Amino acid sequence: MLDTVPPNGLIEVQDVEKVYRTGRLEYPALRGVDLSVEAGDFLSIVGPSGSGKSTILNVITGIDRPTAGTVRVGEALLNDMDEEELAVWRGEHVGIVFQFFQLLPTLTALENAMLPLDFARLGSVTDRIERARHNLALVGLVDKADHLPLELSGGEQQRVAIARALACDPTLLVADEPTGNLDTDTAQHILELLAKLNADGMTVLYVTHDRELAGYANSTVHVKDGRVVDGGLAPDHGIGS
Amino acid sequence: MRSALQRRSWKELSRRRARSVFTVLTIAAAVTALWMFAIPQLTNRAMDEQVEEHRLDHVLLTPGQFSLTDEQVEELRALPNVDGLDVRSGFGNPIAFGNNRQDAQFVAIRDFEDQQVNVVTIQDGAAPGFGELLVDPQNSRSGRLAATTGDMLTLISPRGGSGDFKISGVGGSLRFSDNAREGAPVVYLTQETFEDLTKSANFAWLNFRVADRTGDRLAETLSAVRTTFEGMVGEVEYQTVPQIRPEGDWPGRESMENVTTVFYVLASLAALSALFMVFTTMNAVVREQTDEIGVMKAIGGRRRQIAWSYMRTAAIIGFAGTAAGLVVGVTLSNLLLQAISPSLMTITPGWGISWPLAALSVVVGVGGSMLASLPAVFRAARVPVHEALSDRGVSASFGQGWLDRTLQRSTRLPRMAQMGLRNTARRKASSLAAGLQVGIAVGIALGLLMLGTTVLHAADEWRNAIGGDIEVNDGRGTPGLKQRIESVPGVAEVEGVYWSTAGVAEQRPSMLGLEATTTLFGRDLVEGRWFTQQEAEDLARVAVVGLPLAELAGLAVGDVVPVETPNGPETLEIIGIDRNMTDDGKVIYVPIETHYDMDLRSVPNWYWVRTSDADEAFIDEVAAGIATSLSSRSYEPYLEINYIDANAARAEERLILGIVSILGIPIVLIGLVGLASTMTMAVLDRTREIGILRSIGAGAKDVRRMIRAEGLALAAFGWALALPLGFLSGWAMVWVIGRAFNASFGLVPPYWAVLPALAVTLALAVAIVHRPARRAINLSPGTALRYE
């Protein structure tokens, strides 16, 4: 367990536990996790199904609240924020890519891509459209801006999801099994895209169960049974429990 | 021990708790609506008991003034097949109670202890002794006279002066209480008091009951009574034809049946509306579980087994809804009956349950639910397994149709409003069903308003048909009365009318003899013509009939019909049909000269008086002047002031329409439940999507706006459907009422209500979506994303 925050630390997860309660049953998804991520990192989180890797992402993004422990991202201590504050914070600082794309089916690719800007009320509508187009161009889909998700392939939908995640120019991009529903070639393209974003300075975290896909990242954290078992990182990265 | 399939049927209830609750509520509303059919049954049952308890007459004879000894009365009672006979006397007289002065009807009872027909029962206090009075309970219920036991009532003598009489109690009879409901207050007194007041021992009515009225027995008994009676009193000039009460009829029944016709219409609409909603709800439930049905088929489930599993769930929901509906329906129908019976009947019936209707409720509630789910279940069971199992990811139902493309152009709206609007097109069937339910609910409400405005407008028109402000009823007709009335200050116009009754084609209408050039009767001919002055002078046997009478008796212009009059048969040619509802439209209008000739009369027995000012206080003054003037000459006519009757009638009509509107509430509720169910399920279905929105920065306000926009869009769509539906339902209800009254109504659409209806519908939609929206917002994104 770390006693101090590394000088460039963007994310600090300290002794986090997460227990899910369903009726009379309790399921400990995380059993005391410590994790530090520096700004600019490209980190993959690997583990078998049910190991808690997605839960780690959820507590980092505030989608789930830890049962114990603290989570700090940048200057935000997530434990102190209520749901409304978390939603606003996410919109402005975090981009999230889901396994099943989760695009809004009634919005076009452009509209999906500018949705976080609408929530954050950043700039005029024209500015938002321009920014969304820029992000779609970044992911190579500006020619499909007016298409509904129904009219896009799986890979295209995931790229639109990435464009959406980039809407507010976040400091952190997280992706939960971003290639889980894609074929090998498409998966490779998506991860190359994430790598490119990281190369441009964005901190990127992604979860995968595939060790080969995990290798695209600069560093990997292994999770098993709700614990981080192996950092696989350079010694100056702070990890472990 | 239950199989897994059977357990699944039960667990389905708690899986979608909100939907189960809404479906149960809807079925309960449908069953409750069915119980409106119980009101007529409960009423008839109560009235049948009352008819026997009060020994309502079968025949009423009006032979004018006559005298019989006690022995002669007993001789008439002993005639074969006579099961009770009474002779009664009565008179009309002004009374005063507090500051209120009006004319009342007095009915003398020979012996309160020995009443065989139209029994007057004591409800409070005691039977009157000599110099005391008994007031009918309907007097206070109708608002005409509030006097009760212990009060003093002043009788104003026709010869001047007055006398105070103590009220010994409150009591009434079905026969006379109906008069108090529709006409003047009714007061009972002993025969001794009557003779002391009037200085006359004559009777005016003879009523009797028969033991056996099958076949010709009643006619034979009537003939025997008349023959024996005429043998006792000598020559008789009957004032009306014999009034024979049809089997099963009772005073106020016609009014009750007319109102209950509307009950039937509304109950049917409510039940249909609810069943429609059950159908769409069960459809939605099954459609959402297409993938589960696919799984069951994949692991060996047969279509029939799968179908039975859903039908079992539907049956359980049906039982729950039926039970709730029975409790509410029985309570509501009895409460409504208690509320309307004083206005429409003369009794307050006790509580009752209609067992046949209870059985029907179970059939409709349980059977209806099961049947409603069948189409969707069979449809889903036919979907190929692979297709059913591939229900994942992006919705495949938006973007392909013209509606979706149209909604995509709604870019000028705020983003969340756009999303809410577009969401209505994602489940088109559900949205259409919700819109229809709202449309039916709001449409019925508008239809009821149209019924109300049409009927009230028509009723006012018909009341104004008789243009006089005061009516003077003179009984048998007094020479010189018209001139006397004309001489009273404030009287602008007087028209004499001759009234009697007649018999035509088994109907017993009134017969009015009017001036050919009448100015105080507002003719409203729908066919034919009025009689001419020449025909009047020629004593021509021509007649104009009321539209309801024409339809009941099958009369048409040009017909030459036999008519029974108090003085024998006549033949009249029908030359016109009039739409006015004088005497409910069951009336024959003839030239007054012709009427005199038929009835061997020469003077009117009814006068319509128009005052020179329509102010109510002025009319009261003129009426008092007429009463005083006539009293000073020992005339004893009976005055009616039309604005008082009109106000009382309007109050009753408004009460009835108010009650009818209340009956529309189940339908409106069903529509709102439908909208609530659709919105709740729409939000629940998008829980994961809402989780995503919250994950990418949507605030609570954003989510609320989206949900509200969807609710408002559905409500507005429903309102748009409500306009044609409302007009159609209103037209249908007016038509049904018209058939019931045999009347013709001119529609009066409530255009003023269109925009307020939109405002109310939208406001209700906002209220309805509040709870599901709050639930969605309060879920943490993590929980929402894991929602299935």
Side-chain angles (χ1 to χ4, degrees):
Chain A
M1 190 161 146
L2 293 177
D3 295 324
T4 58
V5 177
N8 290 330
L10 177 65
I11 300 168
E12 183 189 340
V13 175
Q14 272 195 333
D15 200 21
V16 161
E17 294 177 13
K18 176 64 183 177
V19 178
Y20 290 109
R21 290 184 176 82
T22 319
R24 287 172 293 177
L25 294 174
E26 288 187 352
Y27 172 68
L30 297 179
R31 300 168 194 255
V33 166
D34 294 308
L35 181 67
S36 290
V37 178
E38 291 184 17
D41 264 1
F42 190 14
L43 178 71
S44 62
I45 303 173
V46 184
S49 181
S51 58
K53 53 187 189 299
S54 295
T55 308
I56 292 175
L57 272 196
N58 285 350
V59 296
I60 287 172
T61 57
I63 286 175
D64 271 324
R65 286 184 180 278
T67 313
T70 59
V71 180
R72 184 190 298 278
V73 179
E75 292 176 7
L77 182 62
L78 303 193
N79 301 60
D80 292 343
M81 296 165 75
D82 63 25
E83 288 299 337
E84 194 70 5
E85 288 167 336
L86 282 170
V88 172
W89 172 79
R90 272 193 298 273
E92 291 173 357
H93 297 97
V94 182
I96 304 176
V97 180
F98 298 94
Q99 178 180 1
F100 293 106
F101 330 135
Q102 307 295 16
L103 297 179
L104 280 301
T106 59
L107 301 181
T108 61
L110 181 69
E111 289 166 342
N112 267 287
M114 65 189 265
L115 195 55
L117 291 164
D118 291 334
F119 291 146
R121 287 131 178 98
L122 286 178
S124 66
V125 173
T126 312
D127 293 338
R128 295 176 205 170
I129 291 172
E130 200 181 306
R131 173 130 192 101
R133 280 196 185 280
H134 167 80
N135 289 337
L136 282 175
L138 212 60
V139 302
L141 281 177
V142 71
D143 56 332
K144 303 228 171 164
D146 293 330
H147 287 229
L148 290 168
L150 170 73
E151 296 160 338
L152 302 172
S153 69
E156 289 171 336
Q157 289 184 52
Q158 195 62 298
R159 282 191 276 161
V160 172
I162 293 171
R164 181 178 69 185
L166 298 175
C168 296
D169 200 14
T171 50
L172 172 66
L173 183 76
V174 301
D176 189 353
E177 299 273 12
T179 60
N181 259 13
L182 304 173
D183 59 80
T184 313
D185 281 345
T186 311
Q188 195 176 337
H189 288 135
I190 293 296
L191 286 169
E192 285 169 359
L193 180 55
L194 295 181
K196 183 178 177 306
L197 291 171
N198 175 249
D200 291 340
M202 186 165 291
T203 307
V204 178
L205 272 67
Y206 69 95
V207 158
T208 181
H209 63 275
D210 188 323
R211 287 175 184 273
E212 195 178 324
L213 292 175
Y216 276 82
N218 295 337
S219 50
T220 299
V221 167
H222 295 271
V223 180
K224 188 180 176 185
D225 294 331
R227 292 190 172 88
V228 173
V229 295
D230 178 9
L233 300 175
D236 59 338
H237 283 273
I239 49 163
S241 138
Chain B
M1 199 148 146
R2 285 186 286 198
S3 69
L5 257 185
Q6 286 171 334
R7 275 183 248 169
R8 185 189 175 281
S9 299
W10 284 91
K11 288 185 183 179
E12 274 301 301
L13 298 174
S14 59
R15 185 180 162 183
R16 297 277 202 184
R17 215 166 292 134
R19 172 156 276 164
S20 299
V21 168
F22 279 122
T23 313
V24 167
L25 280 177
T26 307
I27 295 167
V31 170
T32 301
L34 272 181
W35 274 83
M36 298 304 107
F37 288 112
I39 294 176
Q41 289 180 39
L42 295 174
T43 308
N44 284 339
R45 194 191 299 173
M47 285 306 292
D48 286 342
E49 287 169 8
Q50 288 283 314
V51 163
E52 287 310 305
E53 190 183 313
H54 285 247
R55 295 183 59 79
L56 201 61
D57 62 41
H58 292 141
V59 181
L60 163 68
L61 296 176
T62 54
Q65 299 289 308
F66 65 93
S67 176
L68 284 179
T69 64
D70 289 349
E71 291 73 28
Q72 286 173 319
V73 172
E74 290 306 317
E75 186 182 332
L76 286 167
R77 283 175 171 176
L79 286 172
N81 201 33
V82 171
D83 179 35
L85 184 143
D86 261 324
V87 289
R88 297 252 162 89
S89 24
F91 62 99
N93 201 84
I95 57 170
F97 180 67
N99 293 328
N100 178 274
R101 177 188 160 139
Q102 59 185 305
D103 281 336
Q105 300 175 55
F106 287 81
V107 178
I109 310 295
R110 277 175 70 238
D111 185 348
F112 275 88
E113 301 301 319
D114 177 33
Q115 300 180 68
Q116 293 197 353
V117 182
N118 297 333
V119 175
V120 175
T121 56
I122 310 300
Q123 294 178 17
D124 181 56
F130 178 74
E132 293 182 330
L133 304 172
L134 183 79
V135 291
D136 195 283
Q138 204 62 22
N139 296 342
S140 57
R141 279 192 212 138
S142 64
R144 295 183 188 275
L145 179 68
T148 187
T149 309
D151 288 338
M152 300 299 290
L153 194 66
T154 304
L155 265 69
I156 300 165
S157 167
R159 295 170 192 77
S162 62
D164 291 338
F165 293 78
K166 185 182 168 196
I167 295 174
S168 66
V170 177
S173 161
L174 279 180
R175 172 60 69 197
F176 302 111
S177 293
D178 194 49
N179 295 345
R181 185 176 65 81
E182 292 208 327
V186 172
V187 181
Y188 307 95
L189 65 172
T190 62
Q191 186 67 24
E192 290 79 19
T193 307
F194 167 80
E195 290 174 8
D196 184 63
L197 284 174
T198 63
K199 309 304 179 204
S200 164
N202 288 337
F203 301 108
W205 310 304
L206 189 154
N207 311 79
F208 65 91
R209 288 170 59 88
V210 296
D212 177 11
R213 60 181 299 165
T214 56
D216 294 328
R217 290 289 285 139
L218 188 142
E220 287 167 7
T221 309
L222 171 60
S223 176
V225 168
R226 282 181 75 158
T227 304
T228 307
F229 173 73
E230 288 162 13
M232 290 171 180
V233 302
E235 195 180 324
V236 176
E237 288 182 4
Y238 290 95
Q239 290 193 315
T240 65
V241 295
Q243 304 289 308
I244 301 171
R245 181 170 65 86
E247 183 115 43
D249 191 28
W250 32 265
R253 179 170 194 153
E254 199 171 332
S255 302
M256 187 67 191
E257 285 181 347
N258 291 337
V259 174
T260 55
T261 302
V262 181
F263 286 5
Y264 286 135
V265 171
L266 288 174
S268 303
L269 284 171
L272 284 171
S273 181
L275 284 173
F276 173 70
M277 190 188 150
V278 170
F279 175 78
T280 56
T281 302
M282 297 306 294
N283 252 285
V285 166
V286 175
R287 211 174 36 241
E288 285 159 10
Q289 296 182 17
T290 304
D291 58 338
E292 276 189 41
I293 293 173
V295 169
M296 284 194 277
K297 285 171 71 175
I299 61 173
R302 280 171 285 197
R303 280 187 213 168
R304 208 178 324 132
Q305 291 171 319
I306 297 167
W308 266 113
S309 172
Y310 284 99
M311 299 267 283
R312 211 175 291 127
T313 305
I316 296 166
I317 291 176
F319 267 116
T322 302
L326 276 172
V327 171
V328 175
V330 169
T331 307
L332 189 63
S333 60
N334 277 281
L335 283 176
L336 276 172
L337 189 59
Q338 303 293 313
I340 65 175
S341 54
S343 295
L344 298 172
M345 303 183 297
T346 53
I347 60 156
T348 303
W351 282 54
I353 292 179
S354 167
W355 294 111
L357 203 52
L360 180 64
S361 300
V362 173
V363 169
V364 168
V366 177
S369 305
M370 294 172 75
L371 280 173
S373 63
L374 265 180
V377 166
F378 281 131
R379 200 168 42 240
R382 280 199 293 273
V383 173
V385 174
H386 75 274
E387 196 178 311
L389 289 173
S390 64
D391 179 28
R392 202 136 179 70
V394 172
S395 163
S397 63
F398 184 84
Q400 296 174 329
W402 64 268
L403 177 64
D404 303 346
R405 289 193 291 275
T406 305
L407 290 174
Q408 273 186 266
R409 287 193 215 112
S410 59
T411 53
R412 291 193 182 276
L413 293 172
R415 175 70 65 217
M416 299 315 287
Q418 283 180 40
M419 288 175 64
L421 196 60
R422 295 180 197 183
N423 281 341
T424 61
R426 287 171 69 181
R427 301 273 183 150
K428 292 182 180 66
S430 293
S431 297
L432 179 62
L436 264 176
Q437 278 147 24
V438 171
I440 289 170
V442 177
I444 299 268
L446 289 174
L448 282 170
L449 265 177
M450 186 156 125
L451 172 68
T453 51
T454 299
V455 167
L456 286 175
H457 178 77
D460 267 346
E461 271 191 343
W462 294 329
R463 263 191 291 278
N464 293 335
I466 297 176
D469 301 299
I470 302 167
E471 294 172 29
V472 181
N473 292 288
D474 184 35
R476 296 196 57 194
T478 307
L481 202 57
K482 183 179 179 186
Q483 291 76 12
R484 191 78 212 145
I485 296 170
E486 282 173 338
S487 69
V488 173
V491 170
E493 190 179 347
V494 180
E495 189 169 315
V497 177
Y498 186 74
W499 175 90
S500 71
T501 59
V504 59
E506 296 181 15
Q507 300 295 319
R508 288 286 183 267
S510 301
M511 185 179 289
L512 293 188
L514 300 178
E515 305 278 348
T517 55
T518 176
T519 54
L520 291 187
F521 181 72
R523 287 168 270 176
D524 190 4
L525 289 158
V526 294
E527 208 180 323
R529 62 176 178 84
W530 197 251
F531 34 83
T532 63
Q533 184 61 38
Q534 188 60 51
E535 284 169 331
E537 288 170 8
D538 293 342
L539 308 180
R541 280 358 188 208
V542 292
V544 174
V545 296
L547 178 60
L549 175 64
E551 292 190 350
L552 281 170
L555 304 174
V557 172
D559 287 351
V560 176
V561 296
V563 175
E564 192 188 332
T565 75
N567 286 297
E570 289 279 353
T571 303
L572 296 175
E573 181 191 353
I574 310 300
I575 60 169
I577 297 175
D578 188 276
R579 208 166 67 120
N580 278 303
M581 293 294 282
T582 310
D583 282 355
D584 295 333
K586 292 177 193 155
V587 61
I588 300 173
Y589 306 101
V590 294
I592 193 169
E593 293 85 349
T594 302
H595 205 173
Y596 289 154
D597 190 50
M598 289 193 292
D599 274 22
L600 306 175
R601 297 274 185 257
S602 59
V603 290
N605 57 8
W606 194 9
Y607 296 90
W608 295 344
V609 180
R610 185 173 61 81
T611 57
S612 55
D613 190 325
D615 178 71
E616 289 178 3
F618 184 80
I619 293 171
D620 285 341
E621 258 183 60
V622 175
I626 294 173
T628 305
S629 171
L630 299 183
S631 303
S632 69
R633 290 297 186 100
S634 299
Y635 294 148
E636 296 181 22
Y638 176 81
L639 265 65
E640 274 186 51
I641 300 176
N642 286 345
Y643 83 80
I644 293 176
D645 286 339
N647 290 344
R650 270 190 213 105
E652 186 175 306
E653 284 150 16
R654 287 203 171 90
L655 172 68
I656 293 167
L657 286 169
I659 288 163
V660 166
S661 301
I662 289 171
L663 292 179
I665 286 176
I667 300 173
V668 175
L669 280 177
I670 287 166
L672 294 177
V673 167
L675 181 63
S677 176
T678 300
M679 284 311 303
T680 302
M681 296 321 300
V683 171
L684 281 175
D685 290 345
R686 289 185 206 118
T687 299
R688 203 184 295 170
E689 196 173 296
I690 291 168
I692 293 163
L693 287 171
R694 295 286 267 161
S695 299
I696 62 174
K701 265 193 220 167
D702 299 309
V703 174
R704 206 177 291 123
R705 260 188 217 126
M706 180 184 74
I707 296 170
R708 197 177 288 164
E710 187 175 351
L712 287 173
L714 287 176
F717 171 55
W719 170 85
L721 288 177
L723 298 182
L725 284 174
F727 182 82
L728 280 171
S729 68
W731 174 86
M733 283 189 276
V734 168
W735 185 84
V736 167
I737 292 288
R739 290 299 91 207
F741 279 90
N742 292 298
S744 162
F745 294 87
L747 289 177
V748 181
Y751 296 116
W752 55 267
V754 168
L755 289 179
L758 174 62
V760 169
T761 307
L762 294 178
L764 284 171
V766 168
I768 282 167
V769 304
H770 175 76
R771 196 155 181 277
R774 199 176 62 181
R775 185 193 172 282
I777 290 159
N778 288 343
L779 273 180
S780 75
T783 309
L785 286 169
R786 284 186 290 276
Y787 183 81
E788 282 184 38

